[in-house]
Amino acid sequence: MTIEAELQAALEQNSKESMNRSFERIYGEYFKLGMFVALQYLNEHDSTDVVNDAFVNLFEKILKEKKCDIKNIKQYMCPHKKRSPEKSKRNQKHDCL
């Protein structure tokens, strides 16, 4: 079962324990990848903030909508956008993940 399908099943069952396990699995599986991407543009502290914010936004979106309509969490967390080097640090923080 994919991680997305596992999360959707937990949401349908309205099981906090299953949702927590799914969220922990998503975080554990994609945190390093998110950091790898963010570190290409930001220092370690800012990268950690950006990655954690991306997870919070993802989890809040899923809980608010009571569904996981994201087909590929990896693509959601690490979009392949062309970033210009002259962007300000503030803009990079918001565009990175």
Side-chain angles (χ1 to χ4, degrees):
M1 179 181 288
T2 67
I3 199 164
E4 294 85 359
E6 178 185 311
L7 179 55
Q8 185 59 45
L11 288 165
E12 289 170 4
Q13 296 169 1
N14 200 25
S15 168
K16 284 186 179 184
E17 189 175 307
S18 294
M19 283 188 271
N20 285 339
R21 272 197 312 269
S22 294
F23 287 150
E24 287 173 7
R25 183 172 166 211
I26 291 167
Y27 188 86
E29 195 163 320
Y30 295 110
F31 179 79
K32 286 183 183 179
L33 179 61
M35 285 296 291
F36 175 79
V37 172
L39 284 168
Q40 304 303 308
Y41 305 96
L42 304 167
N43 65 40
E44 186 174 356
H45 177 73
D46 289 339
S47 293
T48 301
D49 286 347
V50 167
V51 172
N52 284 328
D53 285 347
F55 280 108
V56 168
N57 291 337
L58 171 66
F59 297 155
E60 285 177 346
K61 174 183 174 12
I62 290 169
L63 290 173
K64 180 181 177 186
E65 296 175 4
K66 301 273 191 232
K67 64 180 179 178
C68 180
D69 61 355
I70 299 162
K71 303 296 181 228
N72 189 322
I73 291 173
K74 181 178 178 180
Q75 286 179 343
Y76 179 88
M77 292 299 297
C78 299
H80 296 275
K81 293 182 184 176
K82 187 171 184 171
R83 295 170 184 86
S84 63
E86 64 274 358
K87 279 190 174 180
S88 71
K89 182 177 174 181
R90 182 172 184 261
N91 287 337
Q92 283 182 344
K93 282 180 77 169
H94 294 292
D95 290 346
C96 192
L97 294 176

